[in-house]
Coordinates of all heavy atoms in Angstrom, one line a residue:
H1318 N -15.4 2.8 0.0 CA -15.0 3.4 -1.3 C -15.0 4.9 -1.2 O -16.0 5.4 -0.7 CB -16.0 2.9 -2.3 CG -15.7 3.4 -3.7 ND1 -14.6 3.0 -4.5 CD2 -16.2 4.4 -4.4 CE1 -14.6 3.7 -5.6 NE2 -15.6 4.6 -5.5
V1319 N -14.0 5.5 -1.7 CA -14.0 7.0 -1.7 C -14.3 7.4 -3.1 O -13.6 7.1 -4.1 CB -12.6 7.5 -1.3 CG1 -12.5 9.0 -1.3 CG2 -12.2 7.0 0.1
P1320 N -15.4 8.2 -3.3 CA -15.8 8.6 -4.7 C -14.7 9.5 -5.3 O -14.1 10.3 -4.5 CB -17.1 9.3 -4.5 CG -17.2 9.6 -3.1 CD -16.4 8.6 -2.3
V1321 N -14.5 9.5 -6.6 CA -13.5 10.2 -7.2 C -14.0 11.4 -7.9 O -15.0 11.4 -8.5 CB -12.8 9.2 -8.3 CG1 -11.9 9.9 -9.2 CG2 -12.1 8.0 -7.5
V1323 N -15.3 14.2 -7.2 CA -16.7 14.6 -6.9 C -17.0 16.1 -7.2 O -18.0 16.4 -7.9 CB -17.0 14.4 -5.4 CG1 -18.4 14.9 -5.0 CG2 -16.9 12.9 -5.1
D1340 N -27.5 7.9 -11.8 CA -26.1 7.4 -11.6 C -26.1 6.0 -12.0 O -26.7 5.1 -11.4 CB -25.8 7.5 -10.1 CG -24.4 7.1 -9.7 OD1 -23.8 6.5 -10.6 OD2 -24.0 7.4 -8.6
C1341 N -25.5 5.7 -13.2 CA -25.6 4.4 -13.8 C -24.7 3.4 -13.1 O -24.9 2.2 -13.3 CB -25.1 4.5 -15.3 SG -26.4 5.2 -16.4
T1342 N -23.8 3.8 -12.3 CA -22.9 2.9 -11.5 C -22.9 3.4 -10.1 O -21.9 3.8 -9.6 CB -21.5 2.9 -12.1 OG1 -21.1 4.3 -12.2 CG2 -21.4 2.3 -13.5
A1343 N -24.1 3.3 -9.4 CA -24.2 3.9 -8.1 C -23.3 3.3 -7.1 O -22.8 4.0 -6.1 CB -25.7 3.7 -7.6
G1344 N -22.9 2.0 -7.2 CA -22.0 1.4 -6.3 C -22.4 1.6 -4.8 O -23.5 1.3 -4.4
C1345 N -21.5 2.1 -4.0 CA -21.7 2.4 -2.6 C -22.4 3.7 -2.4 O -22.5 4.2 -1.2 CB -20.5 2.2 -1.8 SG -19.8 0.6 -1.9
G1346 N -22.8 4.4 -3.4 CA -23.6 5.6 -3.3 C -22.8 6.9 -3.0 O -23.4 7.9 -2.7
G1347 N -21.5 6.9 -3.2 CA -20.6 8.1 -3.0 C -21.1 9.3 -3.8 O -21.4 10.3 -3.3
H1348 N -21.0 9.1 -5.2 CA -21.5 10.1 -6.0 C -23.0 10.4 -5.9 O -23.4 11.6 -6.0 CB -21.1 9.8 -7.5 CG -19.7 9.9 -7.8 ND1 -18.9 8.7 -7.9 CD2 -18.8 10.9 -8.0 CE1 -17.7 9.1 -8.2 NE2 -17.6 10.4 -8.2
T1349 N -23.7 9.4 -5.7 CA -25.2 9.5 -5.6 C -25.5 10.5 -4.5 O -26.3 11.4 -4.7 CB -25.8 8.1 -5.2 OG1 -25.1 7.1 -5.9 CG2 -27.3 8.1 -5.6
V1350 N -24.9 10.3 -3.3 CA -25.2 11.2 -2.2 C -24.8 12.7 -2.5 O -25.5 13.6 -2.3 CB -24.4 10.8 -0.9 CG1 -24.4 11.8 0.2 CG2 -24.9 9.5 -0.4
L1365 N -28.4 2.9 -10.5 CA -28.4 1.5 -11.0 C -27.0 0.9 -10.6 O -26.0 1.6 -10.6 CB -28.5 1.5 -12.5 CG -29.8 1.6 -13.2 CD1 -30.6 2.8 -12.8 CD2 -29.6 1.6 -14.7
D1366 N -27.0 -0.4 -10.3 CA -25.7 -1.1 -10.2 C -26.0 -2.6 -10.4 O -27.0 -3.1 -10.0 CB -25.0 -0.8 -8.9 CG -23.5 -1.1 -9.0 OD1 -23.1 -2.2 -9.2 OD2 -22.8 -0.1 -9.0
R1367 N -25.0 -3.2 -11.0 CA -25.2 -4.7 -11.2 C -24.9 -5.4 -9.9 O -25.2 -6.6 -9.8 CB -24.1 -5.2 -12.2 CG -24.6 -5.1 -13.7 CD -23.4 -5.3 -14.6 NE -23.5 -6.7 -15.2 CZ -22.6 -7.1 -16.1 NH1 -21.7 -6.2 -16.6 NH2 -22.7 -8.3 -16.6
D1368 N -24.2 -4.8 -9.0 CA -23.8 -5.5 -7.8 C -24.7 -5.2 -6.6 O -24.8 -4.0 -6.1 CB -22.4 -5.0 -7.4 CG -21.8 -5.7 -6.2 OD1 -22.5 -6.5 -5.6 OD2 -20.6 -5.5 -6.0
K1369 N -25.4 -6.2 -6.1 CA -26.4 -6.0 -5.1 C -25.8 -5.7 -3.7 O -26.3 -5.0 -2.9 CB -27.5 -7.1 -5.1 CG -27.1 -8.4 -4.4 CD -28.4 -9.2 -4.3 CE -28.1 -10.7 -4.0 NZ -26.9 -11.0 -3.4
S1371 N -23.1 -3.9 -3.1 CA -22.7 -2.5 -3.1 C -24.0 -1.7 -2.9 O -24.0 -0.7 -2.1 CB -22.1 -2.1 -4.4 OG -20.9 -2.8 -4.6
L1372 N -25.1 -2.1 -3.5 CA -26.3 -1.3 -3.3 C -26.9 -1.3 -1.9 O -27.6 -0.4 -1.5 CB -27.4 -1.7 -4.3 CG -27.2 -1.3 -5.8 CD1 -28.4 -1.8 -6.6 CD2 -27.0 0.2 -5.9
V1374 N -25.0 -1.1 0.7 CA -24.3 0.0 1.3 C -24.9 1.4 0.9 O -25.1 2.2 1.7 CB -22.8 -0.1 1.0 CG1 -22.0 1.1 1.6 CG2 -22.2 -1.4 1.4
A1375 N -25.1 1.5 -0.4 CA -25.7 2.7 -0.9 C -27.0 3.0 -0.2 O -27.3 4.2 0.2 CB -25.9 2.7 -2.4
K1378 N -26.8 4.7 3.1 CA -26.4 6.1 3.0 C -27.5 7.0 2.5 O -27.5 8.2 2.8 CB -25.2 6.2 2.0 CG -23.9 5.8 2.5 CD -22.9 6.2 1.5 CE -21.6 5.5 1.7 NZ -20.8 5.5 0.5
F1389 N -31.9 0.6 -8.3 CA -32.2 -0.6 -9.0 C -31.0 -1.5 -9.2 O -30.0 -1.0 -9.6 CB -32.8 -0.3 -10.4 CG -34.1 0.4 -10.4 CD1 -34.2 1.8 -10.2 CD2 -35.2 -0.3 -10.6 CE1 -35.4 2.4 -10.2 CE2 -36.5 0.3 -10.6 CZ -36.6 1.6 -10.4
N1390 N -31.1 -2.7 -8.8 CA -30.0 -3.7 -9.0 C -30.1 -4.2 -10.5 O -30.6 -5.3 -10.7 CB -30.2 -4.9 -8.0 CG -29.1 -5.9 -8.1 OD1 -29.3 -7.1 -7.8 ND2 -28.0 -5.6 -8.7
K1391 N -29.6 -3.3 -11.4 CA -29.7 -3.7 -12.8 C -28.5 -3.2 -13.5 O -27.8 -2.2 -13.1 CB -30.9 -2.9 -13.4 CG -32.3 -3.6 -13.1 CD -33.3 -3.1 -14.1 CE -34.7 -3.6 -13.7 NZ -34.9 -5.0 -13.8
D1392 N -28.2 -3.9 -14.6 CA -27.2 -3.4 -15.6 C -27.7 -2.1 -16.2 O -28.9 -1.9 -16.5 CB -27.2 -4.5 -16.7 CG -26.0 -4.3 -17.6 OD1 -25.8 -3.2 -18.1 OD2 -25.3 -5.3 -17.9
F1393 N -26.7 -1.2 -16.4 CA -27.1 0.1 -16.9 C -27.7 0.0 -18.4 O -28.3 1.0 -18.8 CB -26.0 1.2 -16.8 CG -24.7 0.9 -17.3 CD1 -24.4 0.5 -18.6 CD2 -23.6 0.9 -16.4 CE1 -23.1 0.2 -19.1 CE2 -22.3 0.7 -16.9 CZ -22.1 0.3 -18.2
R1394 N -27.5 -1.1 -19.0 CA -28.1 -1.3 -20.3 C -29.6 -1.5 -20.2 O -30.3 -1.4 -21.2 CB -27.5 -2.4 -21.1 CG -26.0 -2.1 -21.6 CD -25.3 -3.3 -22.1 NE -24.9 -4.2 -21.0 CZ -24.1 -5.2 -21.2 NH1 -23.7 -5.5 -22.4 NH2 -23.8 -6.0 -20.1
K1395 N -30.1 -1.7 -19.0 CA -31.5 -1.8 -18.8 C -32.2 -0.5 -18.4 O -33.3 -0.4 -17.9 CB -31.8 -2.8 -17.6 CG -31.3 -4.2 -17.9 CD -32.3 -4.9 -18.9 CE -31.7 -6.3 -19.2 NZ -32.2 -6.8 -20.5
L1412 N -24.5 9.9 -15.0 CA -23.1 9.7 -14.7 C -22.7 8.2 -14.8 O -23.5 7.3 -14.4 CB -22.9 10.1 -13.2 CG -21.6 9.7 -12.5 CD1 -20.4 10.5 -13.2 CD2 -21.6 10.0 -11.0
F1413 N -21.6 7.9 -15.4 CA -21.0 6.6 -15.4 C -19.6 6.7 -14.6 O -18.8 7.5 -15.1 CB -20.7 6.1 -16.8 CG -21.9 5.8 -17.6 CD1 -22.5 6.8 -18.3 CD2 -22.3 4.5 -17.8 CE1 -23.6 6.5 -19.1 CE2 -23.4 4.2 -18.5 CZ -24.1 5.2 -19.2
D1414 N -19.4 6.0 -13.6 CA -18.1 5.9 -12.9 C -17.7 4.4 -13.0 O -18.2 3.6 -12.3 CB -18.4 6.3 -11.4 CG -17.1 6.2 -10.6 OD1 -16.0 6.3 -11.2 OD2 -17.2 6.1 -9.3
L1415 N -16.9 4.2 -14.0 CA -16.7 2.8 -14.5 C -15.8 1.9 -13.6 O -15.2 2.4 -12.6 CB -16.1 2.9 -15.9 CG -17.0 3.6 -16.9 CD1 -16.3 3.9 -18.2 CD2 -18.3 2.8 -17.2
G1416 N -15.7 0.7 -14.0 CA -14.8 -0.2 -13.3 C -15.4 -0.8 -12.0 O -16.6 -1.1 -12.0
L1417 N -14.5 -1.0 -11.0 CA -15.1 -1.5 -9.7 C -14.6 -0.7 -8.6 O -13.7 0.2 -8.7 CB -14.7 -3.0 -9.5 CG -13.4 -3.3 -8.8 CD1 -13.4 -4.8 -8.5 CD2 -12.2 -3.1 -9.7
S1418 N -15.3 -0.8 -7.4 CA -15.0 0.0 -6.3 C -14.0 -0.6 -5.3 O -13.8 -1.9 -5.4 CB -16.3 0.3 -5.5 OG -16.8 -0.8 -5.0
S1419 N -13.5 0.2 -4.4 CA -12.6 -0.4 -3.4 C -13.4 -1.4 -2.5 O -12.8 -2.4 -2.0 CB -12.0 0.7 -2.4 OG -11.7 1.8 -3.1
Y1420 N -14.6 -1.1 -2.3 CA -15.5 -2.0 -1.5 C -15.5 -3.4 -2.2 O -15.3 -4.4 -1.5 CB -16.9 -1.4 -1.5 CG -17.9 -2.3 -0.8 CD1 -17.9 -2.5 0.6 CD2 -18.9 -2.9 -1.6 CE1 -18.8 -3.3 1.2 CE2 -19.8 -3.7 -1.0 CZ -19.8 -3.9 0.4 OH -20.7 -4.8 1.0
Q1421 N -15.7 -3.4 -3.5 CA -15.8 -4.7 -4.2 C -14.4 -5.4 -4.1 O -14.4 -6.7 -4.0 CB -16.2 -4.5 -5.6 CG -17.6 -4.1 -5.8 CD -18.0 -3.7 -7.2 OE1 -17.3 -2.8 -7.7 NE2 -19.0 -4.2 -7.8
R1426 N -14.9 -12.1 -3.7 CA -15.4 -12.5 -5.0 C -14.4 -12.7 -6.0 O -14.7 -12.8 -7.2 CB -16.5 -11.5 -5.4 CG -17.6 -11.4 -4.3 CD -19.0 -11.5 -5.0 NE -19.2 -10.5 -6.0 CZ -20.0 -9.4 -5.8 NH1 -20.5 -9.2 -4.6 NH2 -20.1 -8.5 -6.8
F1428 N -11.9 -10.4 -7.0 CA -11.5 -9.3 -7.7 C -10.0 -8.9 -7.4 O -9.4 -8.3 -8.2 CB -12.4 -8.0 -7.4 CG -13.8 -8.1 -7.9 CD1 -14.8 -8.1 -7.0 CD2 -14.1 -8.3 -9.2 CE1 -16.2 -8.2 -7.4 CE2 -15.4 -8.3 -9.7 CZ -16.4 -8.3 -8.7
R1439 N -17.6 -11.9 -11.0 CA -18.8 -11.3 -11.7 C -19.4 -10.1 -10.8 O -19.4 -10.3 -9.6 CB -19.9 -12.4 -11.8 CG -19.6 -13.4 -12.8 CD -20.6 -14.6 -12.8 NE -20.5 -15.3 -11.5 CZ -21.4 -16.2 -11.1 NH1 -22.4 -16.5 -11.9 NH2 -21.3 -16.7 -9.9
F1440 N -19.8 -9.0 -11.5 CA -20.4 -8.0 -10.7 C -21.8 -8.5 -10.2 O -22.2 -8.1 -9.1 CB -20.7 -6.7 -11.6 CG -19.4 -6.0 -11.9 CD1 -19.2 -5.4 -13.2 CD2 -18.4 -5.8 -11.0 CE1 -18.0 -4.7 -13.5 CE2 -17.2 -5.1 -11.3 CZ -17.1 -4.6 -12.6
D1441 N -22.5 -9.2 -11.1 CA -23.7 -9.8 -10.7 C -23.5 -11.3 -10.6 O -23.4 -12.0 -11.6 CB -24.8 -9.5 -11.8 CG -26.1 -10.2 -11.6 OD1 -26.2 -11.0 -10.6 OD2 -27.0 -9.9 -12.4
R1520 N -11.2 -9.7 -15.2 CA -12.5 -9.1 -14.7 C -13.3 -8.5 -15.9 O -14.5 -8.6 -16.0 CB -12.2 -8.0 -13.7 CG -13.4 -7.5 -13.0 CD -13.1 -6.1 -12.4 NE -13.3 -5.1 -13.3 CZ -12.5 -4.1 -13.4 NH1 -11.4 -3.9 -12.7 NH2 -12.7 -3.1 -14.4
N1524 N -17.1 -9.7 -17.2 CA -18.3 -8.9 -17.2 C -18.6 -8.2 -18.5 O -19.5 -7.4 -18.6 CB -18.1 -7.8 -16.1 CG -18.0 -8.4 -14.7 OD1 -19.0 -8.9 -14.2 ND2 -16.9 -8.4 -14.1
G1525 N -17.8 -8.6 -19.5 CA -18.1 -8.0 -20.9 C -18.1 -6.4 -20.8 O -19.0 -5.8 -21.4
E1526 N -17.2 -5.9 -20.0 CA -17.3 -4.5 -19.6 C -17.2 -3.5 -20.8 O -17.9 -2.5 -20.8 CB -16.2 -4.1 -18.6 CG -16.6 -4.7 -17.2 CD -15.5 -4.5 -16.2 OE1 -15.0 -3.4 -16.0 OE2 -15.1 -5.5 -15.5
A1529 N -20.4 -3.3 -22.7 CA -21.4 -2.7 -21.9 C -21.3 -1.2 -21.9 O -22.3 -0.5 -22.0 CB -21.3 -3.2 -20.5
I1530 N -20.0 -0.7 -21.9 CA -19.8 0.7 -21.9 C -20.3 1.3 -23.2 O -21.0 2.3 -23.3 CB -18.3 1.1 -21.7 CG1 -17.8 0.6 -20.3 CG2 -18.1 2.6 -21.9 CD1 -16.3 0.7 -20.2
G1533 N -24.1 1.2 -23.2 CA -24.6 2.0 -22.1 C -24.5 3.5 -22.5 O -25.5 4.2 -22.3
I1550 N -16.4 8.7 -15.9 CA -15.0 8.5 -15.3 C -14.6 7.1 -15.7 O -15.2 6.1 -15.4 CB -15.1 8.6 -13.8 CG1 -15.7 9.9 -13.4 CG2 -13.6 8.5 -13.3 CD1 -15.9 10.0 -11.8
Y1552 N -11.0 4.4 -15.9 CA -9.8 4.1 -15.1 C -8.7 3.5 -15.9 O -7.6 3.2 -15.3 CB -10.2 3.3 -13.9 CG -11.1 4.0 -12.9 CD1 -12.4 4.0 -13.1 CD2 -10.5 4.8 -11.9 CE1 -13.3 4.8 -12.3 CE2 -11.3 5.5 -11.1 CZ -12.7 5.5 -11.2 OH -13.5 6.2 -10.4
R1598 N -6.1 5.5 -5.0 CA -6.8 4.8 -6.1 C -7.4 5.7 -7.1 O -7.8 5.2 -8.2 CB -7.9 3.9 -5.4 CG -7.3 2.7 -4.6 CD -8.2 1.6 -4.5 NE -8.5 1.0 -5.8 CZ -9.8 0.9 -6.3 NH1 -10.8 1.3 -5.6 NH2 -10.0 0.3 -7.4
Ligands
SAM2324 C1 -16.1 2.7 -9.5 S1 -17.6 1.8 -8.9 C2 -18.7 3.1 -8.6 C3 -18.6 3.7 -7.3 C4 -19.6 4.8 -7.0 N1 -19.5 5.9 -7.9 C5 -19.5 5.3 -5.6 O1 -19.2 6.5 -5.3 O2 -19.7 4.5 -4.6 C6 -18.2 1.1 -10.4 C7 -19.5 0.4 -10.2 O3 -20.0 0.1 -11.5 C8 -20.8 -1.1 -11.4 N2 -21.0 -1.6 -12.8 C9 -20.1 -2.0 -13.6 N3 -20.6 -2.4 -14.8 C10 -22.0 -2.1 -14.7 C11 -23.1 -2.2 -15.5 N4 -23.0 -2.7 -16.8 N5 -24.3 -1.8 -15.1 C12 -24.4 -1.4 -13.8 N6 -23.4 -1.3 -12.9 C13 -22.2 -1.6 -13.4 C14 -19.9 -2.0 -10.5 O4 -20.6 -3.0 -9.9 C15 -19.4 -0.9 -9.5 O5 -20.2 -0.9 -8.3

Side-chain angles (χ1 to χ4, degrees):
H1318 178 77
V1319 181
V1321 168
V1323 173
D1340 184 346
C1341 280
T1342 50
C1345 297
H1348 288 101
T1349 323
V1350 169
L1365 276 58
D1366 205 289
R1367 270 169 107 174
D1368 183 351
K1369 76 172 168 22
S1371 299
L1372 285 184
V1374 179
K1378 281 190 198 159
F1389 291 84
N1390 178 205
K1391 280 199 191 293
D1392 190 308
F1393 51 59
R1394 287 170 288 188
K1395 297 284 180 203
L1412 171 66
F1413 290 83
D1414 177 23
L1415 301 168
L1417 90 164
S1418 66
S1419 317
Y1420 173 74
Q1421 288 168 308
R1426 301 227 303 257
F1428 292 120
R1439 290 170 297 170
F1440 289 141
D1441 174 355
R1520 188 202 83 221
N1524 294 292
E1526 287 175 47
I1530 297 169
I1550 307 174
Y1552 292 87
R1598 290 207 62 236

